Amino acid sequence: MTKTVFDLIIVGGGPGGYVAAIRGAQLGMSVALVERAELGGICLNWGCIPTKALLHSATVLRACRDAAHYGVTGAGEARPDLAAMVARSRKVAGRLGQGVAHLMKKNGVTVFAASAKLAGSGRLALDTGTTLSAKHIILATGARARELPALPVGERIWAYRQALAPAEIPKSLLVVGAGAIGAEFASFYRAIGADVTLIDMTPEILPQEDAEISQLARKAFEKQGIRVLTQCAVTGSTLTATGVRVSLAQQGKQTDLDVDRVIVAAGIVGNVEDLGLENTRVKVDKTHIVTDAQCRTGEPGVYAIGDVAGAPWLAHKASHEGVLCVEAIAGLPTHAIDPLRIPACTYSHPQVASIGMTEARAREHVKHSGGEIRVGKFTFAGNGKAIAMGEDQGLVKTVFDAKSGELLGAHIIHPEASELITGYGVAASLEATEEDLMQTVFAHPTLSETLHESVLSAFGKALHA
C-alpha cells in the first residue's frame, strides 16, 4: 500500500521544490514530492538549461566563424544545424531530469505524478484520487509566461516552449519583451541567421539592470544586427499567408511589421490556480503568494517558495528558499533572504550580470542619510586575459557607500559575466568592505582581475586604467 502520511509534502518539482525535498530528507523527515509534469520543472526542462544549451551552440558557431582571427583555418564556413542544436538541448535537459529522479530515489523521497490542491488542514488532494497528509506543505508551483491578448500563442506566435524547439530558422523574427528571456532568444536567433527585431515598452532593454550597462548591451546587440525598438508596444497582430503582421505603437506613431515568427517574452505570472487557496488564509498579490521571511503563508502549515512566491524570479533564489524554508520548519537557525544579495544573470551575447543596487538606486538609498556613493569602472580592454581571449569588450562597474565602504551594487557586461558575478556575491554575503576587496589577491592573468580593478577605481587606485 502506498504511503499517504508524511512529515513534509512539496507541490512542484522545480529547482525550489526538489531541493527542498532533498533538504527535508537530509534532516530526517519523511518527504513526498508532487509533480504534475516533469521533475526539474520549467527551469530544467523548458527554461534555464535548454536555453543555455542552445546559447552555447551559438557561441561555438560564432567561434568557428571567427576562427581565422585566432590563427585557425577551415572553420569559417560553419553553418547552424538547427535540428542537431535542438536535439542536443533536449538531450541535456533529459539527462538532468534523470538526475533529479535519481536524487529523489537516493534520498528516499516519494514522488507522486499528479496535480494537487489543498483539501483542509494538513491534507492534499491529488487528481489521481489519493489524499496525502502532512503537518507541513510547501507550494513550489512556479510560474508561466504571461499571455498577451494581442499575440495569441500558436504555430507562428511562440512562447518559450515553441521557441526552444523550432522546426526551422525563421528568416525574420520579432521578440516582444527585452528582459533576460527576450534578450537571450534575440541573441540565439540572430547568431543562427534570423533577422531579429527586439522591442520593449520601457526606455531601455534589460530594464532591471543599471542604465549604463543596459545602454552598452543595446549597442552590442545593434552591432550584431539586432534591431532594437524601445518605448514600443504591440497593439494587434494578424496572420498573413506566410507569417505575422504585428501592429506597433512607438511614441505616438503606429507602424506595421511583417515577420515570419514572433516570440512573446513579456514576463511571467505565478501558478496559483487550482491549488485550493480560496478556502484558506493564503493571500495572493498580483498572481504571487504572499509569504514572510521564513516562507510561511497566512495558512498555518502552508509555505510557498520560488517563482510562485514572487520576485526575484530566479532558480537559485528558489533553491535557496527551499533550504531556508525546510530548515526553519526543522527549527534550525535561518537568515532571511536579502534580494540585494542574489545575483541575476542574462545569458545573451554579451552576457549581463549584476548584484545589489544600480547606481541610480544607490544614490537614492544614501540620499536620505546625507551620504554619498563611490563608483568604480574598469573595461576589459585593460585586462590581459580578455585581450588574449579576443573578448576585450565589456565593463565591470561597482558602487560603494563612500562612508562605510559597503558594496552596494556590482554590474558586469562581458561574455563571461555570469561566471564572474559570484565573486561579488561572496563578498556581499561576507559583508566585505572596499578595504577587504582591495587587499584580496587576484590571480594573474584572469578575467577576475577586472573585479579588483573596478573596486580600486572606485577609490582612485586603479592600476591598469
Side-chain angles (χ1 to χ4, degrees), residues 4-9 30 120-124 132-137 301:
T4 59
V5 180
F6 299 87
D7 298 320
L8 173 67
I9 302 172
S30 60
S121 181
R123 291 186 296 126
L124 202 64
L132 306 180
S133 300
K135 185 176 180 181
H136 305 285
I137 298 173

Side-chain angles (χ1 to χ4, degrees), residues 199-202 229-236 246-257:
I199 71 169
D200 201 275
M201 294 179 64
T202 63
L229 302 176
T230 50
Q231 294 180 295
C232 183
V234 175
T235 58
V246 183
S247 298
L248 303 176
Q250 186 182 30
Q251 296 179 320
K253 296 181 180 180
Q254 292 282 339
T255 57
D256 288 339
L257 178 66

Side-chain angles (χ1 to χ4, degrees), residues 196-263:
V196 177
T197 299
L198 176 65
I199 71 169
D200 201 275
M201 294 179 64
T202 63
E204 273 297 343
I205 65 171
L206 300 175
Q208 76 280 12
E209 299 293 345
D210 182 86
E212 184 175 9
I213 300 295
S214 295
Q215 290 162 13
L216 289 173
R218 179 172 186 162
K219 290 178 181 178
F221 289 0
E222 290 175 336
K223 186 177 181 180
Q224 295 165 43
I226 297 173
R227 182 188 182 198
V228 178
L229 302 176
T230 50
Q231 294 180 295
C232 183
V234 175
T235 58
S237 65
T238 305
L239 297 181
T240 64
T242 58
V244 186
R245 177 166 294 164
V246 183
S247 298
L248 303 176
Q250 186 182 30
Q251 296 179 320
K253 296 181 180 180
Q254 292 282 339
T255 57
D256 288 339
L257 178 66
D258 287 300
V259 292
D260 290 344
R261 298 291 183 268
V262 177
I263 295 177

Side-chain angles (χ1 to χ4, degrees), residues 419-445:
E419 296 295 336
L420 292 169
I421 196 63
T422 298
Y424 287 130
V426 173
S429 292
L430 295 176
E431 298 182 349
T433 65
E434 91 291 1
E435 187 66 23
D436 298 318
L437 289 166
M438 286 192 285
Q439 293 299 324
T440 299
V441 179
F442 288 75
H444 174 79

Side-chain angles (χ1 to χ4, degrees), residues 64-268:
C64 289
R65 288 170 174 169
D66 296 339
H69 176 71
Y70 299 93
V72 178
T73 61
E77 298 301 318
R79 296 183 301 275
D81 183 338
L82 183 61
M85 288 180 174
V86 171
R88 178 181 178 275
S89 171
R90 300 315 309 153
K91 184 178 180 180
V92 168
R95 175 180 171 180
L96 288 172
Q98 292 173 0
V100 174
H102 170 72
L103 288 172
M104 295 301 95
K105 184 176 181 180
K106 176 183 176 181
N107 287 278
V109 176
T110 303
V111 177
F112 292 88
S115 293
K117 66 170 55 179
L118 299 172
S121 181
R123 291 186 296 126
L124 202 64
L126 308 187
D127 62 355
T128 57
T130 301
T131 298
L132 306 180
S133 300
K135 185 176 180 181
H136 305 285
I137 298 173
I138 299 176
L139 303 177
T141 51
R144 62 186 184 278
R146 184 182 301 279
E147 297 179 3
L148 299 180
L151 292 168
V153 173
E155 182 181 350
R156 299 177 193 169
I157 300 175
W158 297 342
Y160 56 88
R161 282 181 181 257
Q162 294 89 343
L164 282 169
E168 59 185 9
I169 301 172
K171 291 182 180 179
S172 56
L173 173 71
L174 172 66
V175 180
V176 180
I181 296 172
E184 290 175 5
F185 277 127
S187 288
F188 171 71
Y189 277 96
R190 181 60 192 142
I192 63 173
D195 181 6
V196 177
T197 299
L198 176 65
I199 71 169
D200 201 275
M201 294 179 64
T202 63
E204 273 297 343
I205 65 171
L206 300 175
Q208 76 280 12
E209 299 293 345
D210 182 86
E212 184 175 9
I213 300 295
S214 295
Q215 290 162 13
L216 289 173
R218 179 172 186 162
K219 290 178 181 178
F221 289 0
E222 290 175 336
K223 186 177 181 180
Q224 295 165 43
I226 297 173
R227 182 188 182 198
V228 178
L229 302 176
T230 50
Q231 294 180 295
C232 183
V234 175
T235 58
S237 65
T238 305
L239 297 181
T240 64
T242 58
V244 186
R245 177 166 294 164
V246 183
S247 298
L248 303 176
Q250 186 182 30
Q251 296 179 320
K253 296 181 180 180
Q254 292 282 339
T255 57
D256 288 339
L257 178 66
D258 287 300
V259 292
D260 290 344
R261 298 291 183 268
V262 177
I263 295 177
V264 180
I268 62 173

Side-chain angles (χ1 to χ4, degrees), residues 310-384:
W313 299 287
L314 301 166
H316 43 285
K317 172 256 194 183
S319 296
H320 197 85
E321 276 187 332
V323 172
L324 181 157
C325 181
V326 171
E327 291 185 348
I329 288 171
L332 299 177
T334 61
H335 297 280
I337 290 179
D338 181 355
L340 292 176
R341 292 182 180 174
I342 300 175
C345 302
T346 299
Y347 297 83
S348 53
H349 180 70
Q351 296 180 5
V352 172
S354 62
I355 189 167
M357 303 179 191
T358 65
E359 179 181 349
R361 183 175 175 187
R363 289 191 187 281
E364 286 297 316
H365 175 73
V366 301
K367 181 179 178 180
H368 302 294
S369 60
E372 296 180 354
I373 63 171
R374 297 186 71 109
V375 178
K377 301 177 188 179
F378 191 79
T379 69
F380 284 85
N383 177 262

